[in-house]
Structures are given as C-alpha cells and as structure tokens.
Coordinates of all heavy atoms in Angstrom, one line a residue:
M1 N 2.5 1.8 -27.7 CA 3.2 3.0 -27.7 C 3.6 3.5 -26.4 O 4.7 3.9 -26.2 CB 2.3 4.1 -28.4 CG 2.7 5.4 -28.6 SD 3.9 5.5 -30.0 CE 2.7 5.4 -31.4
A2 N 2.8 3.3 -25.4 CA 3.2 3.5 -24.0 C 4.3 2.8 -23.6 O 5.2 3.3 -22.7 CB 1.9 3.6 -23.2
R3 N 4.4 1.5 -23.9 CA 5.4 0.7 -23.5 C 6.7 1.2 -24.1 O 7.8 1.1 -23.5 CB 5.1 -0.9 -23.8 CG 4.0 -1.4 -23.0 CD 3.8 -2.8 -23.3 NE 2.7 -3.3 -22.6 CZ 1.8 -4.2 -23.0 NH1 1.9 -4.7 -24.2 NH2 0.8 -4.6 -22.3
T4 N 6.7 1.6 -25.4 CA 7.9 2.1 -26.0 C 8.6 3.2 -25.2 O 9.7 3.3 -25.0 CB 7.7 2.4 -27.4 OG1 7.0 1.5 -28.1 CG2 8.9 3.0 -28.1
K5 N 7.6 4.1 -24.8 CA 8.1 5.3 -24.1 C 8.7 4.8 -22.7 O 9.7 5.3 -22.4 CB 6.8 6.3 -23.9 CG 7.3 7.6 -23.5 CD 6.1 8.6 -23.6 CE 6.6 10.0 -23.6 NZ 5.6 10.9 -24.0
A6 N 8.0 3.9 -22.0 CA 8.6 3.4 -20.7 C 9.8 2.7 -20.9 O 10.9 2.9 -20.1 CB 7.5 2.5 -20.1
C7 N 10.1 2.0 -22.0 CA 11.3 1.2 -22.3 C 12.4 2.2 -22.6 O 13.5 2.1 -22.1 CB 11.1 0.3 -23.4 SG 10.3 -1.2 -23.0
R8 N 12.1 3.3 -23.3 CA 13.1 4.3 -23.5 C 13.6 5.0 -22.3 O 14.7 5.2 -22.0 CB 12.5 5.4 -24.6 CG 12.4 4.8 -25.9 CD 11.7 5.9 -26.8 NE 12.5 7.2 -26.8 CZ 13.5 7.4 -27.9 NH1 13.8 6.5 -28.7 NH2 14.1 8.5 -27.8
G9 N 12.6 5.3 -21.3 CA 13.0 5.8 -20.0 C 13.8 4.9 -19.2 O 14.8 5.3 -18.5
V10 N 13.6 3.7 -19.3 CA 14.4 2.6 -18.4 C 15.8 2.6 -19.0 O 16.8 2.6 -18.3 CB 13.8 1.2 -18.5 CG1 14.7 0.2 -17.9 CG2 12.4 1.2 -17.8
L11 N 15.9 2.5 -20.4 CA 17.3 2.6 -21.0 C 18.0 3.7 -20.7 O 19.2 3.8 -20.4 CB 17.1 2.4 -22.5 CG 16.6 1.0 -23.0 CD1 16.3 1.0 -24.4 CD2 17.7 -0.1 -22.6
Q12 N 17.5 5.0 -20.6 CA 18.1 6.2 -20.3 C 18.5 6.2 -18.7 O 19.5 6.6 -18.5 CB 17.1 7.4 -20.5 CG 17.1 7.6 -22.0 CD 16.1 8.8 -22.4 OE1 15.5 9.4 -21.4 NE2 15.9 9.0 -23.7
A13 N 17.7 5.7 -17.8 CA 18.2 5.5 -16.6 C 19.4 4.7 -16.3 O 20.1 4.8 -15.4 CB 16.8 4.8 -15.7
F14 N 19.5 3.7 -17.3 CA 20.8 2.8 -17.2 C 21.9 3.5 -18.1 O 22.8 2.8 -18.4 CB 20.4 1.3 -17.7 CG 19.7 0.6 -16.8 CD1 18.5 0.2 -16.9 CD2 20.5 0.2 -15.6 CE1 17.6 -0.5 -15.9 CE2 19.7 -0.6 -14.6 CZ 18.3 -1.0 -14.7
S15 N 21.7 4.6 -18.3 CA 22.8 5.5 -19.0 C 23.0 5.1 -20.5 O 24.1 5.0 -21.1 CB 24.2 5.3 -18.2 OG 24.0 6.1 -17.1
I16 N 21.9 4.6 -21.2 CA 22.0 4.2 -22.5 C 21.1 5.2 -23.2 O 19.9 5.1 -23.3 CB 21.4 2.9 -22.8 CG1 22.1 1.7 -22.0 CG2 21.4 2.5 -24.2 CD1 21.4 0.3 -21.9
P17 N 21.8 6.2 -23.8 CA 21.1 7.3 -24.4 C 20.2 6.9 -25.7 O 20.5 6.0 -26.4 CB 22.2 8.3 -24.9 CG 23.4 7.4 -25.1 CD 23.3 6.2 -24.0
Q18 N 19.1 7.6 -25.7 CA 18.0 7.3 -26.8 C 18.1 8.5 -27.8 O 17.3 9.4 -27.5 CB 16.7 7.1 -26.2 CG 16.7 5.8 -25.2 CD 16.9 4.5 -25.9 OE1 16.3 4.2 -26.8 NE2 18.1 3.9 -25.5
V19 N 19.0 8.6 -28.7 CA 19.1 9.7 -29.5 C 18.3 9.6 -30.8 O 18.0 10.5 -31.4 CB 20.6 9.9 -29.9 CG1 21.4 10.4 -28.4 CG2 21.3 8.8 -30.5
E20 N 18.0 8.3 -31.2 CA 17.2 8.2 -32.5 C 15.9 7.8 -32.0 O 15.5 7.1 -31.0 CB 17.8 7.0 -33.4 CG 19.2 7.4 -33.8 CD 19.2 8.5 -34.8 OE1 18.2 8.6 -35.6 OE2 20.2 9.4 -34.8
P21 N 14.8 8.1 -32.9 CA 13.5 7.7 -32.6 C 13.3 6.1 -32.7 O 14.0 5.5 -33.5 CB 12.6 8.3 -33.7 CG 13.4 9.5 -34.4 CD 14.9 9.0 -34.0
T22 N 12.5 5.6 -31.8 CA 12.3 4.1 -31.8 C 11.3 3.9 -32.9 O 10.2 4.4 -32.9 CB 11.8 3.7 -30.5 OG1 12.6 4.1 -29.5 CG2 11.5 2.2 -30.5
P23 N 11.5 3.0 -34.0 CA 10.6 2.7 -34.9 C 9.5 1.8 -34.5 O 9.8 0.9 -33.8 CB 11.5 2.0 -36.0 CG 12.6 1.5 -35.4 CD 12.8 2.4 -34.1
L24 N 8.3 2.2 -34.7 CA 7.1 1.3 -34.5 C 6.4 0.9 -35.9 O 6.2 1.8 -36.7 CB 6.1 2.0 -33.6 CG 6.6 2.6 -32.3 CD1 5.5 3.5 -31.7 CD2 6.9 1.5 -31.5
Y25 N 6.2 -0.3 -36.0 CA 5.8 -0.9 -37.4 C 4.3 -1.2 -37.2 O 3.9 -1.9 -36.2 CB 6.5 -2.1 -37.8 CG 8.0 -1.8 -38.1 CD1 8.9 -2.0 -37.1 CD2 8.5 -1.2 -39.1 CE1 10.3 -1.6 -37.2 CE2 9.8 -0.9 -39.4 CZ 10.5 -1.2 -38.4 OH 12.0 -0.8 -38.7
S26 N 3.5 -0.7 -38.1 CA 2.0 -0.9 -38.0 C 1.5 -1.2 -39.4 O 1.9 -0.7 -40.3 CB 1.5 0.4 -37.4 OG -0.1 0.3 -37.5
D27 N 0.5 -2.2 -39.4 CA -0.1 -2.5 -40.6 C -1.3 -1.4 -40.9 O -2.0 -1.5 -41.8 CB -0.7 -3.9 -40.7 CG -1.8 -4.3 -39.7 OD1 -1.9 -3.4 -38.8 OD2 -2.3 -5.3 -39.9
S28 N -1.5 -0.5 -40.0 CA -2.5 0.5 -40.0 C -1.9 1.6 -40.7 O -1.3 2.4 -40.1 CB -3.2 0.7 -38.7 OG -4.0 1.9 -38.8
D29 N -2.3 1.9 -42.0 CA -1.8 3.2 -42.7 C -2.3 4.4 -42.0 O -1.6 5.5 -41.9 CB -2.2 3.1 -44.1 CG -1.5 4.2 -44.9 OD1 -0.3 4.5 -44.6 OD2 -2.1 4.7 -45.9
S30 N -3.7 4.4 -41.5 CA -4.2 5.5 -40.9 C -3.3 6.0 -39.5 O -3.1 7.1 -39.2 CB -5.6 5.3 -40.5 OG -5.7 4.2 -39.6
T31 N -2.8 4.9 -38.8 CA -2.1 5.2 -37.6 C -0.8 5.9 -37.8 O -0.4 6.9 -37.4 CB -1.7 4.0 -36.8 OG1 -2.9 3.3 -36.5 CG2 -0.9 4.1 -35.7
A32 N -0.1 5.4 -39.0 CA 1.1 6.2 -39.5 C 0.9 7.6 -40.0 O 1.6 8.5 -39.5 CB 1.7 5.4 -40.6
K33 N -0.3 7.7 -40.6 CA -0.6 9.2 -41.1 C -0.9 10.1 -39.9 O -0.6 11.2 -40.0 CB -1.7 9.0 -42.1 CG -1.3 8.5 -43.5 CD -2.4 8.4 -44.4 CE -1.9 8.0 -45.9 NZ -2.9 7.8 -46.8
V34 N -1.7 9.7 -39.0 CA -2.0 10.4 -37.8 C -0.8 10.8 -37.0 O -0.6 12.0 -36.6 CB -3.1 9.6 -36.9 CG1 -3.4 10.4 -35.6 CG2 -4.5 9.6 -37.6
A35 N 0.0 9.9 -36.9 CA 1.4 10.1 -36.2 C 2.2 11.2 -36.8 O 2.7 12.1 -36.1 CB 2.1 9.0 -36.1
R36 N 2.1 11.4 -38.2 CA 2.8 12.4 -38.9 C 1.9 13.7 -39.1 O 2.4 14.5 -39.7 CB 3.3 11.8 -40.2 CG 4.2 10.7 -40.1 CD 4.8 10.4 -41.5 NE 3.8 9.8 -42.4 CZ 3.5 8.6 -42.5 NH1 4.1 7.6 -41.9 NH2 2.6 8.2 -43.5
D37 N 0.9 13.6 -38.5 CA -0.1 14.8 -38.6 C -0.7 15.0 -40.1 O -0.9 16.0 -40.5 CB 0.5 16.1 -38.1 CG -0.3 16.5 -36.9 OD1 -1.4 16.0 -36.7 OD2 0.1 17.6 -36.4
E38 N -0.7 13.8 -40.8 CA -1.1 14.0 -42.3 C -2.5 13.6 -42.5 O -3.2 13.7 -43.5 CB -0.2 13.0 -43.1 CG 1.2 13.3 -43.2 CD 1.9 12.3 -44.0 OE1 1.4 11.3 -44.4 OE2 3.3 12.4 -44.1
A39 N -3.1 13.2 -41.3 CA -4.7 12.7 -41.4 C -5.3 13.0 -40.1 O -4.6 13.0 -39.0 CB -4.7 11.2 -41.7
S40 N -6.6 13.1 -40.1 CA -7.4 13.3 -38.9 C -7.8 12.0 -38.4 O -8.1 11.1 -39.1 CB -8.5 14.2 -39.2 OG -9.4 14.2 -38.1
P41 N -7.7 11.9 -37.0 CA -8.4 10.5 -36.4 C -9.8 10.4 -36.3 O -10.3 9.5 -35.7 CB -7.7 10.6 -35.1 CG -7.5 11.9 -34.7 CD -7.3 12.7 -36.0
R42 N -10.6 11.3 -36.9 CA -12.0 11.4 -36.7 C -12.7 10.0 -37.1 O -13.6 9.8 -36.6 CB -12.6 12.5 -37.7 CG -12.2 14.0 -37.0 CD -13.0 15.0 -37.7 NE -12.4 14.9 -39.1 CZ -12.7 15.8 -40.1 NH1 -13.7 16.6 -39.9 NH2 -12.0 15.8 -41.2
R43 N -12.3 9.4 -38.1 CA -13.0 8.2 -38.6 C -12.7 7.0 -37.9 O -13.4 6.0 -38.0 CB -12.6 8.0 -40.1 CG -13.2 9.0 -41.0 CD -13.0 8.7 -42.4 NE -13.8 9.5 -43.3 CZ -14.0 9.2 -44.5 NH1 -13.6 8.0 -45.1 NH2 -14.6 10.0 -45.2
S44 N -11.7 7.1 -37.0 CA -11.4 5.8 -36.2 C -11.4 6.3 -34.7 O -10.6 6.9 -34.1 CB -9.9 5.4 -36.6 OG -9.6 4.4 -35.8
L45 N -12.5 5.6 -34.0 CA -12.5 5.8 -32.6 C -11.3 5.4 -31.7 O -10.8 6.0 -30.9 CB -13.8 5.2 -31.9 CG -14.1 5.3 -30.5 CD1 -14.2 6.8 -30.1 CD2 -15.3 4.5 -30.1
Y46 N -10.8 4.2 -32.2 CA -9.6 3.6 -31.7 C -8.5 4.8 -31.8 O -7.7 4.9 -30.7 CB -9.1 2.4 -32.4 CG -7.9 1.9 -31.9 CD1 -7.8 1.0 -30.9 CD2 -6.6 2.1 -32.6 CE1 -6.7 0.4 -30.4 CE2 -5.5 1.5 -32.2 CZ -5.4 0.8 -31.2 OH -4.3 0.0 -30.6
L47 N -8.2 5.4 -32.9 CA -7.3 6.3 -33.0 C -7.5 7.7 -32.3 O -6.6 8.3 -31.8 CB -7.0 6.6 -34.5 CG -6.2 5.5 -35.2 CD1 -6.0 5.9 -36.7 CD2 -4.8 5.4 -34.7
M48 N -8.8 8.1 -32.2 CA -9.1 9.3 -31.5 C -8.6 9.3 -30.1 O -8.2 10.2 -29.6 CB -10.6 9.5 -31.5 CG -11.2 10.1 -32.9 SD -12.9 10.3 -33.0 CE -13.2 11.4 -31.8
L49 N -8.8 8.1 -29.5 CA -8.4 7.9 -28.1 C -7.0 7.9 -27.8 O -6.4 8.3 -26.9 CB -9.0 6.6 -27.6 CG -10.6 6.6 -27.6 CD1 -10.9 5.1 -27.2 CD2 -11.2 7.6 -26.7
R50 N -6.2 7.7 -29.0 CA -4.7 7.5 -28.8 C -4.0 8.5 -29.7 O -2.9 8.6 -29.6 CB -4.3 6.2 -29.2 CG -4.8 5.2 -28.1 CD -4.9 3.8 -28.9 NE -5.3 2.8 -27.9 CZ -6.7 2.6 -27.5 NH1 -7.6 3.3 -28.2 NH2 -7.0 1.6 -26.6
A51 N -4.6 9.3 -30.5 CA -4.0 10.2 -31.5 C -3.0 11.2 -30.7 O -2.0 11.6 -31.2 CB -5.1 10.9 -32.3
R52 N -3.5 11.8 -29.7 CA -2.7 12.8 -29.0 C -1.3 12.2 -28.5 O -0.4 13.0 -28.7 CB -3.4 13.4 -27.8 CG -2.7 14.6 -27.1 CD -2.6 15.7 -28.0 NE -1.9 16.8 -27.2 CZ -2.2 18.1 -27.6 NH1 -2.9 18.3 -28.6 NH2 -1.6 19.0 -26.8
F53 N -1.4 11.1 -28.0 CA -0.1 10.5 -27.4 C 0.7 10.1 -28.6 O 1.9 10.3 -28.5 CB -0.5 9.1 -26.7 CG 0.5 8.5 -26.0 CD1 1.1 9.0 -24.8 CD2 1.2 7.5 -26.5 CE1 2.1 8.4 -24.2 CE2 2.4 6.8 -26.0 CZ 2.7 7.4 -24.8
I54 N 0.1 9.7 -29.8 CA 0.9 9.3 -30.9 C 1.6 10.5 -31.5 O 2.8 10.5 -31.8 CB 0.0 8.5 -31.9 CG1 -0.4 7.2 -31.3 CG2 0.8 8.3 -33.2 CD1 -1.6 6.4 -32.3
T55 N 0.8 11.5 -31.7 CA 1.4 12.7 -32.4 C 2.4 13.3 -31.5 O 3.5 13.8 -31.9 CB 0.3 13.7 -32.8 OG1 -0.4 13.9 -31.7 CG2 -0.6 13.1 -34.0
D56 N 2.1 13.4 -30.2 CA 3.2 14.0 -29.2 C 4.6 13.1 -29.3 O 5.6 13.8 -29.4 CB 2.5 14.1 -27.9 CG 1.6 15.2 -27.6 OD1 1.5 16.0 -28.6 OD2 0.9 15.3 -26.7
S57 N 4.4 12.0 -29.3 CA 5.6 11.1 -29.3 C 6.5 11.2 -30.5 O 7.6 11.3 -30.5 CB 5.1 9.6 -29.1 OG 6.2 8.8 -29.1
F58 N 5.6 11.4 -31.7 CA 6.3 11.6 -33.0 C 6.9 12.9 -33.0 O 8.1 13.0 -33.4 CB 5.2 11.5 -34.0 CG 5.9 11.6 -35.5 CD1 6.4 10.6 -36.0 CD2 5.7 12.8 -36.1 CE1 7.0 10.7 -37.3 CE2 6.3 12.9 -37.4 CZ 6.9 11.9 -38.0
K59 N 6.4 14.0 -32.5 CA 6.9 15.3 -32.5 C 8.1 15.4 -31.6 O 8.9 16.3 -32.0 CB 5.7 16.5 -32.1 CG 4.8 16.6 -33.3 CD 3.7 17.7 -32.8 CE 2.8 17.8 -33.8 NZ 1.6 18.7 -33.2
D60 N 8.0 14.8 -30.5 CA 9.2 14.8 -29.6 C 10.3 13.9 -30.1 O 11.3 13.8 -29.2 CB 8.8 14.3 -28.1 CG 7.7 15.2 -27.5 OD1 7.6 16.3 -28.0 OD2 7.0 14.9 -26.6
K61 N 10.1 13.3 -31.3 CA 11.1 12.5 -31.8 C 11.5 11.2 -31.0 O 12.6 10.8 -31.0 CB 12.5 13.2 -32.2 CG 12.2 14.4 -33.2 CD 13.4 15.0 -33.7 CE 13.3 16.1 -34.6 NZ 12.5 16.3 -35.6
E62 N 10.4 10.7 -30.3 CA 10.7 9.5 -29.5 C 10.4 8.3 -30.3 O 10.9 7.2 -30.1 CB 9.8 9.5 -28.2 CG 10.1 10.6 -27.2 CD 9.3 10.8 -26.0 OE1 8.1 10.2 -26.2 OE2 9.7 11.2 -25.0
T63 N 9.5 8.5 -31.2 CA 9.0 7.3 -32.0 C 9.0 7.8 -33.5 O 8.6 8.9 -33.7 CB 7.6 6.7 -31.6 OG1 6.6 7.7 -31.5 CG2 7.9 6.0 -30.2
I64 N 8.8 6.8 -34.3 CA 8.5 7.0 -35.8 C 7.6 5.8 -36.1 O 8.0 4.7 -35.9 CB 9.7 7.2 -36.6 CG1 9.3 7.5 -38.0 CG2 10.6 6.0 -36.6 CD1 10.5 8.0 -39.0
V65 N 6.4 6.1 -36.6 CA 5.5 5.1 -37.1 C 5.7 4.8 -38.6 O 5.6 5.6 -39.3 CB 4.0 5.5 -36.8 CG1 3.1 4.4 -37.1 CG2 3.9 5.9 -35.3
M66 N 5.9 3.5 -38.8 CA 6.2 3.1 -40.2 C 5.1 2.1 -40.5 O 4.8 1.2 -39.9 CB 7.5 2.5 -40.3 CG 8.7 3.5 -39.8 SD 10.3 2.8 -39.7 CE 10.7 2.7 -41.4
H67 N 4.6 2.3 -41.8 CA 3.5 1.4 -42.3 C 4.1 0.2 -42.9 O 5.1 0.2 -43.7 CB 2.6 2.2 -43.3 CG 1.6 1.3 -43.9 ND1 1.6 0.8 -45.2 CD2 0.5 0.7 -43.3 CE1 0.5 0.1 -45.4 NE2 -0.2 0.0 -44.3
V68 N 3.6 -1.1 -42.5 CA 4.0 -2.2 -43.1 C 2.9 -2.7 -44.1 O 1.8 -3.0 -43.6 CB 4.3 -3.3 -42.1 CG1 4.6 -4.6 -42.7 CG2 5.3 -2.9 -41.1
G69 N 3.1 -2.8 -45.3 CA 2.1 -3.3 -46.3 C 1.7 -4.7 -46.2 O 2.5 -5.5 -45.5
G70 N 0.5 -5.0 -46.6 CA 0.0 -6.4 -46.5 C 0.8 -7.4 -47.1 O 0.8 -8.5 -46.7
E71 N 1.6 -7.1 -48.2 CA 2.4 -8.1 -48.9 C 3.6 -8.5 -48.1 O 4.3 -9.3 -48.3 CB 2.8 -7.6 -50.3 CG 3.8 -6.4 -50.2 CD 3.1 -5.1 -50.1 OE1 1.8 -4.9 -50.0 OE2 3.8 -4.0 -50.0
L72 N 3.9 -7.6 -47.1 CA 5.1 -7.9 -46.1 C 4.7 -8.2 -44.7 O 5.7 -8.3 -43.8 CB 6.0 -6.6 -46.2 CG 6.6 -6.2 -47.5 CD1 7.2 -4.8 -47.4 CD2 7.5 -7.2 -48.0
N73 N 3.5 -8.3 -44.5 CA 3.0 -8.6 -43.0 C 2.4 -10.0 -42.9 O 1.3 -10.2 -43.0 CB 2.0 -7.6 -42.7 CG 1.5 -7.5 -41.3 OD1 2.1 -8.3 -40.5 ND2 0.6 -6.8 -41.0
P74 N 3.3 -10.8 -42.3 CA 2.8 -12.2 -42.0 C 1.8 -12.3 -41.0 O 1.1 -13.4 -40.9 CB 4.1 -13.1 -41.6 CG 5.2 -12.0 -41.2 CD 4.7 -10.6 -41.9
A75 N 1.6 -11.3 -40.1 CA 0.6 -11.3 -39.2 C -0.8 -11.5 -39.9 O -1.8 -11.9 -39.3 CB 0.6 -10.2 -38.2
D76 N -0.9 -10.9 -41.1 CA -2.2 -11.1 -41.9 C -2.7 -12.4 -42.0 O -3.9 -12.8 -42.1 CB -2.1 -10.5 -43.1 CG -2.0 -9.0 -43.2 OD1 -2.4 -8.4 -42.1 OD2 -1.7 -8.3 -44.3
A77 N -1.8 -13.5 -41.9 CA -2.2 -14.9 -42.0 C -3.1 -15.3 -40.9 O -4.0 -16.2 -41.0 CB -1.0 -15.8 -42.1
G78 N -3.0 -14.5 -39.8 CA -3.9 -15.0 -38.7 C -5.1 -14.0 -38.6 O -6.1 -14.3 -37.8
T79 N -5.2 -13.0 -39.2 CA -6.3 -12.1 -39.3 C -7.2 -11.7 -40.5 O -8.2 -11.2 -40.3 CB -5.6 -10.7 -38.8 OG1 -4.8 -10.4 -39.8 CG2 -5.0 -10.7 -37.3
K80 N -6.7 -12.2 -41.6 CA -7.4 -11.9 -42.8 C -7.6 -13.3 -43.7 O -6.7 -14.2 -43.7 CB -6.6 -10.8 -43.6 CG -6.5 -9.5 -42.9 CD -5.8 -8.6 -43.8 CE -5.7 -7.3 -43.0 NZ -4.8 -6.3 -43.6
Y81 N -8.5 -13.2 -44.5 CA -8.6 -14.2 -45.6 C -7.5 -13.9 -46.7 O -7.3 -12.9 -47.1 CB -9.9 -14.2 -46.2 CG -9.9 -15.3 -47.4 CD1 -10.1 -16.6 -47.3 CD2 -9.7 -14.8 -48.8 CE1 -10.1 -17.4 -48.1 CE2 -9.8 -15.7 -49.8 CZ -9.9 -17.2 -49.5 OH -9.9 -18.0 -50.6
L82 N -6.7 -14.9 -47.0 CA -5.6 -14.8 -48.0 C -5.7 -15.9 -48.9 O -6.3 -16.9 -48.7 CB -4.2 -14.9 -47.3 CG -4.0 -13.9 -46.2 CD1 -2.7 -14.3 -45.4 CD2 -3.8 -12.5 -46.7
S83 N -5.2 -15.7 -50.2 CA -5.1 -16.7 -51.1 C -4.0 -17.7 -50.5 O -3.3 -17.5 -49.8 CB -4.6 -16.2 -52.6 OG -3.2 -15.7 -52.3
Y84 N -4.2 -18.9 -51.2 CA -3.5 -20.0 -50.7 C -1.9 -19.7 -50.9 O -1.0 -19.9 -50.0 CB -3.7 -21.4 -51.4 CG -2.7 -22.5 -51.0 CD1 -2.9 -23.0 -49.8 CD2 -1.7 -22.7 -51.8 CE1 -2.0 -24.1 -49.4 CE2 -0.8 -23.7 -51.4 CZ -0.9 -24.4 -50.2 OH 0.0 -25.4 -49.9
D85 N -1.5 -19.2 -52.0 CA 0.0 -18.8 -52.3 C 0.4 -17.7 -51.3 O 1.5 -18.0 -50.7 CB 0.0 -18.2 -53.6 CG -0.2 -19.2 -54.8 OD1 -0.1 -20.6 -54.5 OD2 -0.6 -18.9 -55.9
T86 N -0.4 -16.8 -50.9 CA 0.1 -15.7 -50.0 C 0.1 -16.3 -48.7 O 1.2 -16.2 -47.8 CB -0.9 -14.6 -49.9 OG1 -0.9 -14.1 -51.2 CG2 -0.4 -13.5 -49.0
W87 N -0.8 -17.2 -48.2 CA -0.9 -17.8 -47.0 C 0.4 -18.8 -46.8 O 1.1 -18.7 -45.8 CB -2.1 -18.6 -46.7 CG -2.2 -19.4 -45.5 CD1 -2.4 -19.0 -44.3 CD2 -1.8 -20.8 -45.4 NE1 -2.3 -20.0 -43.3 CE2 -2.0 -21.1 -44.0 CE3 -1.4 -21.7 -46.3 CZ2 -1.8 -22.4 -43.5 CZ3 -1.3 -23.0 -45.7 CH2 -1.5 -23.4 -44.4
H88 N 0.6 -19.6 -47.9 CA 1.9 -20.4 -47.8 C 3.1 -19.7 -47.8 O 4.0 -20.2 -47.0 CB 1.8 -21.4 -49.1 CG 2.7 -22.4 -48.9 ND1 4.0 -22.5 -49.6 CD2 2.6 -23.7 -48.3 CE1 4.6 -23.6 -49.2 NE2 3.8 -24.3 -48.4
R89 N 3.2 -18.6 -48.3 CA 4.5 -17.8 -48.4 C 4.7 -17.2 -46.9 O 5.8 -17.2 -46.3 CB 4.4 -16.6 -49.2 CG 5.6 -15.7 -49.3 CD 5.5 -14.5 -50.5 NE 4.2 -14.1 -50.7 CZ 3.8 -12.9 -50.4 NH1 4.7 -12.1 -49.8 NH2 2.6 -12.5 -50.6
Y90 N 3.6 -16.7 -46.3 CA 3.7 -16.2 -44.9 C 4.0 -17.4 -43.9 O 4.8 -17.3 -43.1 CB 2.4 -15.5 -44.4 CG 2.1 -14.2 -45.0 CD1 0.9 -13.8 -45.1 CD2 3.2 -13.6 -45.5 CE1 0.6 -12.5 -45.5 CE2 2.9 -12.2 -46.1 CZ 1.5 -11.8 -46.1 OH 1.3 -10.6 -46.6
L91 N 3.4 -18.5 -44.2 CA 3.7 -19.7 -43.3 C 5.2 -20.2 -43.4 O 5.9 -20.3 -42.3 CB 2.8 -20.9 -43.7 CG 3.0 -22.2 -43.0 CD1 2.5 -22.0 -41.5 CD2 2.1 -23.3 -43.5
R92 N 5.7 -20.1 -44.6 CA 7.2 -20.4 -44.7 C 8.0 -19.4 -44.0 O 9.0 -19.8 -43.5 CB 7.5 -20.5 -46.2 CG 6.8 -21.7 -46.9 CD 7.3 -21.6 -48.4 NE 8.7 -21.5 -48.7 CZ 9.5 -22.3 -48.9 NH1 9.2 -23.6 -48.9 NH2 10.9 -22.0 -49.1
Y93 N 7.7 -18.2 -44.1 CA 8.4 -17.1 -43.4 C 8.3 -17.3 -41.8 O 9.3 -17.3 -41.1 CB 7.8 -15.8 -43.7 CG 8.6 -14.7 -42.9 CD1 9.8 -14.2 -43.4 CD2 7.9 -14.1 -41.9 CE1 10.5 -13.2 -42.7 CE2 8.5 -13.0 -41.2 CZ 9.7 -12.5 -41.6 OH 10.4 -11.5 -41.0
V94 N 7.1 -17.6 -41.3 CA 6.9 -17.6 -39.9 C 7.6 -18.8 -39.3 O 8.2 -18.7 -38.2 CB 5.4 -17.6 -39.5 CG1 5.2 -17.9 -38.0 CG2 4.8 -16.2 -39.9
L95 N 7.5 -20.0 -40.0 CA 8.1 -21.3 -39.5 C 9.6 -21.4 -40.0 O 10.2 -22.3 -39.6 CB 7.2 -22.4 -40.1 CG 5.9 -22.4 -39.6 CD1 5.0 -23.6 -40.1 CD2 5.8 -22.6 -38.1
N96 N 10.1 -20.4 -40.7 CA 11.4 -20.3 -41.1 C 11.9 -21.6 -41.9 O 12.8 -22.2 -41.5 CB 12.3 -20.1 -40.0 CG 13.7 -19.8 -40.3 OD1 13.9 -19.1 -41.4 ND2 14.7 -20.0 -39.5
F97 N 11.2 -21.9 -42.9 CA 11.6 -23.1 -43.8 C 11.4 -22.6 -45.4 O 10.7 -21.7 -45.6 CB 10.7 -24.4 -43.5 CG 9.4 -24.4 -43.8 CD1 8.9 -24.8 -45.0 CD2 8.5 -24.2 -42.8 CE1 7.6 -24.9 -45.3 CE2 7.0 -24.3 -43.0 CZ 6.7 -24.6 -44.3

C-alpha cells in the first residue's frame, strides 16, 4: 500500500496526473472490508497495524481495494491445499499453456 502511494507521487512529479484510484487486489476479504470501513480490524493484528493507512488511502480516493476470490487467485496454488483439478487449472494459467 505504501509503495502504491509512493509510485503515485513519482508519476505526479513527472506530470502524469493520478485522477483515478489505483486498484489493489487482495485475496483477503477482511482487508477490502476494512478499507471501505465496512468492518473493524479488531480480529486481525496485521490489519490493526495497517488499518488507518488503508482507510485513509481509500477515503482520499488514492486506492481502491478489491477482493479476489479463491476461484480466481492462482497464488493460492503456492499457499493452500487445493484439489488436483483446481491446482492444474492454476498451473495452466501461471505457465500460460
């Protein structure tokens, strides 16, 4: 999130206006809800430490946090147990075949 804000600043310094929020994709539904102020970060220490920055960035229209469901997230292949069919579908996507 902080890198996104820094990149937006660099682009603006080069006279490239940043008029639309930068989309950030996350497989954490709680992160997306906290960003939109729809949920409290109390249950997640990780989010508690970052919630203020996330919500401020969202309110300032610098970023928009979008949830990516498990059925669309090939990164799950390296972090979760998946059925063979799901794993193979992700593998085909990642390796582009």
Side-chain angles (χ1 to χ4, degrees):
M1 186 77 69
R3 289 183 185 144
T4 302
K5 200 166 189 163
C7 288
R8 288 176 61 91
V10 169
L11 290 170
Q12 288 177 1
F14 284 111
S15 300
I16 302 171
Q18 301 297 297
V19 294
E20 296 292 323
T22 302
L24 300 174
Y25 299 96
S26 173
D27 65 346
S28 169
D29 193 36
S30 59
T31 301
K33 287 181 179 178
V34 167
R36 294 186 301 264
D37 243 357
E38 295 174 3
S40 170
R42 286 183 294 178
R43 291 189 170 195
S44 171
L45 179 61
Y46 175 82
L47 284 179
M48 282 177 64
L49 299 173
R50 291 155 180 84
R52 183 67 176 203
F53 188 81
I54 293 170
T55 53
D56 287 349
S57 180
F58 183 79
K59 286 178 185 174
D60 294 341
K61 297 187 186 325
E62 292 177 340
T63 59
I64 182 168
V65 180
M66 303 170 77
H67 178 251
V68 177
E71 67 280 354
L72 299 173
N73 189 0
D76 282 352
T79 60
K80 298 178 181 170
Y81 174 79
L82 303 170
S83 68
Y84 176 79
D85 293 336
T86 304
W87 176 81
H88 193 259
R89 181 171 39 108
Y90 287 159
L91 180 68
R92 291 177 50 95
Y93 176 78
V94 169
L95 297 178
N96 198 27
F97 69 87

